[in-house]
Amino acid sequence: MEFLAQYNLTGIVIGIATFLIIGIFHPMVTKGEYYFGVKIWWLFLVMGIAAVAGSIAVRHILWSTLLAVWGASSLWSIGELFEQRERVAKGWFPKNPKRK
């Protein structure tokens, strides 16, 4: 971590990690809705609250920031999950024929 601070790379690491975290949540929402529907919204809520709480508890700026980004992405995904249901209803995404 001293290396990142020494060469002023913390910001670029946070930027890249944020991009990757957001990129991870897109398939989590689409696959989650496909296999389980919107009933998994509470998992995103628990994960978001835990990550935000962790962000407050962690003193290191890099890890605190990444936990906050993870938490915000988790909480944002709740709304995206319900919007994904609407996108499926419009035919923009496939509906899981095995799920009722």
Side-chain angles (χ1 to χ4, degrees):
M1 298 299 162
E2 305 255 342
F3 174 81
L4 296 176
Q6 180 182 359
Y7 292 102
N8 202 24
L9 298 175
T10 305
I12 195 78
V13 169
I14 290 170
I16 291 168
T18 299
F19 178 76
L20 293 173
I21 289 168
I22 292 169
I24 288 169
F25 274 91
H26 175 71
M28 284 173 61
V29 167
T30 55
K31 297 290 185 190
E33 196 284 328
Y34 183 82
Y35 289 109
F36 305 107
V38 295
K39 63 185 173 188
I40 61 167
W41 71 269
W42 63 272
L43 290 172
F44 288 103
L45 178 65
V46 170
M47 188 169 39
I49 291 171
V52 169
S55 169
I56 294 168
V58 171
R59 288 188 167 271
H60 194 278
I61 190 70
L62 176 65
W63 297 115
S64 176
T65 303
L66 294 179
L67 281 167
V69 170
W70 188 274
S73 296
S74 297
L75 296 173
W76 184 271
S77 293
I78 296 169
E80 285 298 316
L81 193 61
F82 287 93
E83 287 185 26
Q84 179 66 14
R85 177 175 63 180
E86 294 174 20
R87 292 188 284 262
V88 169
K90 291 178 182 178
W92 297 352
F93 282 83
K95 183 177 183 177
N96 185 349
K98 295 179 184 177
R99 189 172 45 84
K100 293 180 181 179

